[in-house]
């Protein structure tokens, strides 16, 4: 993805071609980039060949999931709907893990009937629910228990999940209590210790701390786990300031850990696979001039792409056509939705913009389309997958009639 003759281009498709053919806002993915990310991820950990379960909540487009499946990944799901779509994408049930704090009985029944790899349980009550279903079906169900390792992931607080005040997983004491119970059950198989400490983690040190916690716990309990599920969370370079996650270091500390324990590692990456593979194209509707700053009112909004409004996340905005006529002026890029938080970014240096120009919001592949909503009765955008010069529509723009 780069500018060619000042026009932003994905693989061999210039975006001027795309805006002639399609309405905006529109999500555009690069197939090549997705495959490249999957291969890089696999290569980073090839010495212990982990099971890689793509986090379906980061992007749940059926065609994307199918592409990911064809490149060898499984899925991490957090609802019956995600499990259904992962299966529909062709992902083998023995490559699917199910996480989440509030799985309902019907969801658990469905997962048990589909014989998935693991149900990663997050409470004693849930364990009892799984056991009662397993008993009624006279089955033995493979279980993981999610530990809350009380580790600060040093990421934005809204996407931190591994501290004791977060709702996820169980503390060490409960973990030990539950694991004893599961061991003694005729209907449950304790197969996995799972953790997931948060998202957009750029430093390997929180993972080091997390592994130390696991190490101590395993030593203390003398439990044997066929699988250790380390979750996802590896961050990407949203700010383009070359702060990249150190995969080499992470690989090394896991290899050291595996010298002591003979377990299969599971990963659940989302953002690191799909985050930087897509952009959102949007058109400027109006420019509202103001004494201190100009409001650039675009046709994308928080319902299409929610991360800035939801977490204060910053995503780079760049022009579709570069003019290089830079001006020092404050631009507030906002959407049409009736909420003050419907704002993407403030910049103080940008090329001079005009009404009807197109802009690009960068790195929207993860937690982009999967978080889109119909707020303000706005249809969800179309999604296209680019492969060289080929453009495939992988989701049609919703029709207003269908929503209404
Ligand atoms: C969201 C989530 C992930 C994926 O996190 P990324 O930061 O996108 O890699 C993995 N595991 C669980 C349990 C999750 O909830």
């Amino acid at each position: 993805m780069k500018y060619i003759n000042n026009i932003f281009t994905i693989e061999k498709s210039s975006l001027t071609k795309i805006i002639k053919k399609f309405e905006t806002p529109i999500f555009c993915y690069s197939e090549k980039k997705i495959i490249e990310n999957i291969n890089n991820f696999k290569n980073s950990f090839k010495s212990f060949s982990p099971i890689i379960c793509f986090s379906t909540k980061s992007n749940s487009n059926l065609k994307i999931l199918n592409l990911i499946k064809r490149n060898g990944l499984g899925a991490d799901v957090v609802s019956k709907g995600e499990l259904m779509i992962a299966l529909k994408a062709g992902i083998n049930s023995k490559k699917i893990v199910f996480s989440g704090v509030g799985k309902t009985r019907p969801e658990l029944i469905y997962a048990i009937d589909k014989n998935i790899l693991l149900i990663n349980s997050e409470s004693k009550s849930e364990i009892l629910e799984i056991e009662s279903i397993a008993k009624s079906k006279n089955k033995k169900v493979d279980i993981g228990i999610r530990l809350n390792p009380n580790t600060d992931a040093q990421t934005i607080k809204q996407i931190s999940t591994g501290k004791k005040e977060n709702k996820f997983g169980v503390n060490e004491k409960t973990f030990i209590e539950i694991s004893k119970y599961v061991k003694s059950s005729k209907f449950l198989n304790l197969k996995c210790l799972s953790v997931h400490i948060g998202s957009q983690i750029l430093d390997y040190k929180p993972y080091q701390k997390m592994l130390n916690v696991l190490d101590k716990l395993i030593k203390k309990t003398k439990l044997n786990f066929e699988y250790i599920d380390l979750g996802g969370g590896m961050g990407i370079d949203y700010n383009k300031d070359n702060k990249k996650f150190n995969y080499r270091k992470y690989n090394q500390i896991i290899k050291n850990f595996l010298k002591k324990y003979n377990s299969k590692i599971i990963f659940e990456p989302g953002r690191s696979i799909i985050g930087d593979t897509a952009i959102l194209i949007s058109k400027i509707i109006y420019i509202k001039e103001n004494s201190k700053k100009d409001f650039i009112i675009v046709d994308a909004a928080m319902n299409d792409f929610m991360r800035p409004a939801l977490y204060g996340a910053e995503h780079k905005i760049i022009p579709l056509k570069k003019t290089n006529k830079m001006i020092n002026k404050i631009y507030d890029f906002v959407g049409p939705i009736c909420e003050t938080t419907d704002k993407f970014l403030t910049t103080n240096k940008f090329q001079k913009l005009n009404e009807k120009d197109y802009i690009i919001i960068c790195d929207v592949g993860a937690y982009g389309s999967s978080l889109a909503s119909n707020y303000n009765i706005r249809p969800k955008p179309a999604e296209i997958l680019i492969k060289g010069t080929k453009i495939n529509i992988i989701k049609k723009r919703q029709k207003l009639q269908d929503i209404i």
Side-chain angles (χ1 to χ4, degrees):
M1 301 186 184
K2 57 171 187 279
Y3 287 98
I4 297 178
N5 298 328
N6 289 324
I7 307 285
F8 199 80
T9 303
I10 298 180
E11 299 193 18
K12 291 190 174 87
S13 301
S14 98
L15 295 196
T16 43
K17 199 171 90 189
I18 286 160
I19 53 174
K20 266 186 214 139
K21 252 180 104 168
F22 298 97
E23 283 175 73
T24 52
I26 186 165
F27 286 98
C28 313
Y29 300 81
S30 161
E31 177 160 331
K32 193 173 167 190
K33 184 75 184 153
I34 296 172
I35 294 169
E36 192 181 294
N37 285 353
I38 292 173
N39 289 336
N40 286 343
F41 195 95
K42 283 184 188 162
N43 284 335
S44 301
F45 304 108
K46 66 170 179 289
S47 66
F48 55 88
S49 54
I51 300 173
I52 306 171
C53 296
F54 177 69
S55 169
T56 308
K57 78 175 191 290
S58 71
N59 192 303
S60 41
N61 183 295
L62 182 63
K63 296 285 166 55
I64 300 271
L65 292 175
N66 179 258
L67 173 64
I68 282 168
K69 178 247 157 186
R70 282 184 275 125
N71 284 276
L73 305 200
D76 161 49
V77 301
V78 292
S79 69
K80 180 177 171 180
E82 284 192 0
L83 176 49
M84 288 170 79
I85 203 165
L87 291 169
K88 190 168 177 190
I91 296 171
N92 187 310
S93 62
K94 281 295 165 210
K95 279 184 161 184
I96 299 180
V97 297
F98 193 178
S99 316
V101 294
K103 304 178 205 77
T104 63
R105 191 174 176 94
E107 289 184 306
L108 291 167
I109 291 172
Y110 185 76
I112 290 168
D113 286 343
K114 294 294 172 191
N115 296 311
I116 62 171
L117 178 64
L118 289 166
I119 299 178
N120 284 335
S121 175
E122 307 207 14
S123 63
K124 177 80 190 274
S125 304
E126 190 190 17
I127 289 285
L128 297 177
E129 192 78 336
I130 297 167
E131 189 186 36
S132 107
I133 299 165
K135 194 172 171 187
S136 73
K137 295 180 182 289
N138 201 21
K139 251 184 162 174
K140 204 158 183 182
V141 175
D142 295 339
I143 291 291
I145 305 172
R146 178 163 172 186
L147 175 75
N148 183 322
N150 192 21
T151 307
D152 187 351
Q154 290 167 17
T155 182
I156 37 182
K157 72 171 191 301
Q158 295 95 326
I159 54 175
S160 180
T161 58
K163 285 160 79 179
K164 63 176 187 291
E165 60 267 35
N166 302 137
K167 69 179 176 183
F168 300 98
V170 295
N171 64 25
E172 204 181 291
K173 186 165 157 275
T174 313
F175 186 96
I176 294 170
E177 192 188 309
I178 298 179
S179 57
K180 277 186 191 140
Y181 182 84
V182 174
K183 279 281 195 193
S184 69
S185 168
K186 275 196 297 193
F187 301 101
L188 303 171
N189 251 334
L190 181 57
K191 287 219 160 181
C192 177
L193 163 54
S194 90
V195 280
H196 170 70
I197 57 173
S199 203
Q200 186 50 20
I201 299 167
L202 282 168
D203 189 353
Y204 73 94
K205 288 188 203 91
Y207 288 116
Q208 170 102 65
K209 282 189 191 148
M210 171 187 96
L211 281 165
N212 289 343
V213 174
L214 299 194
D215 185 26
K216 275 196 195 127
L217 180 66
I218 299 172
K219 255 195 211 126
K220 191 160 137 187
T221 57
K222 300 196 175 65
L223 285 166
N224 233 326
F225 295 101
E226 186 173 335
Y227 302 105
I228 304 268
D229 182 343
L230 298 176
M234 300 79 161
I236 62 169
D237 187 16
Y238 283 116
N239 304 323
K240 312 289 172 209
D241 55 6
N242 269 319
K243 257 178 90 183
K244 290 207 171 92
F245 183 74
N246 192 333
Y247 282 90
R248 206 178 42 78
K249 275 262 167 60
Y250 192 26
N251 174 58
Q252 196 53 54
I253 57 177
I254 297 171
K255 269 171 69 182
N256 291 342
F257 178 87
L258 289 176
K259 278 180 193 153
K260 286 183 261 180
Y261 307 107
N262 186 25
S263 303
K264 190 87 179 157
I265 296 291
I266 300 173
F267 286 119
E268 304 168 347
R271 192 189 310 275
S272 49
I273 301 291
I274 202 74
D276 64 358
T277 68
I279 54 138
L280 180 63
I281 310 177
S282 183
K283 189 178 183 177
I284 299 173
I285 310 171
Y286 299 120
I287 294 179
K288 183 149 75 169
E289 294 185 356
N290 209 326
S291 59
K292 291 230 168 68
K293 59 183 177 188
D294 286 0
F295 292 104
I296 308 296
I297 304 167
V298 299
D299 64 0
M302 65 190 277
N303 77 296
D304 306 303
F305 184 60
M306 201 189 193
R307 293 188 77 262
L310 187 63
Y311 317 124
E314 288 195 2
H315 285 254
K316 279 221 141 167
I317 294 182
I318 54 177
L320 189 146
K321 272 186 207 177
K322 246 191 199 168
T323 61
N324 293 319
K325 289 189 192 114
M326 301 302 282
I327 53 168
N328 289 310
K329 179 162 202 163
I330 299 177
Y331 279 155
D332 246 11
F333 291 88
V334 301
I337 282 185
C338 303
E339 294 283 348
T340 301
T341 56
D342 184 27
K343 183 187 126 177
F344 292 113
L345 193 71
T346 301
T347 60
N348 51 27
K349 194 172 179 175
F350 210 89
Q351 75 181 37
K352 168 103 182 74
L353 289 172
N354 299 298
E355 294 181 349
K356 298 189 173 60
D357 283 353
Y358 290 87
I359 56 121
I360 291 166
I361 305 175
C362 298
D363 302 320
V364 298
Y367 309 100
S369 66
S370 62
L371 265 165
S373 78
N374 291 126
Y375 189 37
N376 281 204
I377 311 284
R378 287 168 52 91
K380 291 185 198 173
E383 296 175 59
I384 56 178
L385 178 63
I386 294 166
K387 181 183 185 181
T389 53
K390 264 187 31 205
I391 298 165
N392 293 308
I393 301 170
I394 54 169
K395 188 172 269 177
K396 287 186 185 147
R397 185 177 308 283
Q398 269 185 323
K399 288 197 172 77
L400 273 179
Q401 305 88 285
D402 294 341
I403 311 170
I404 293 160

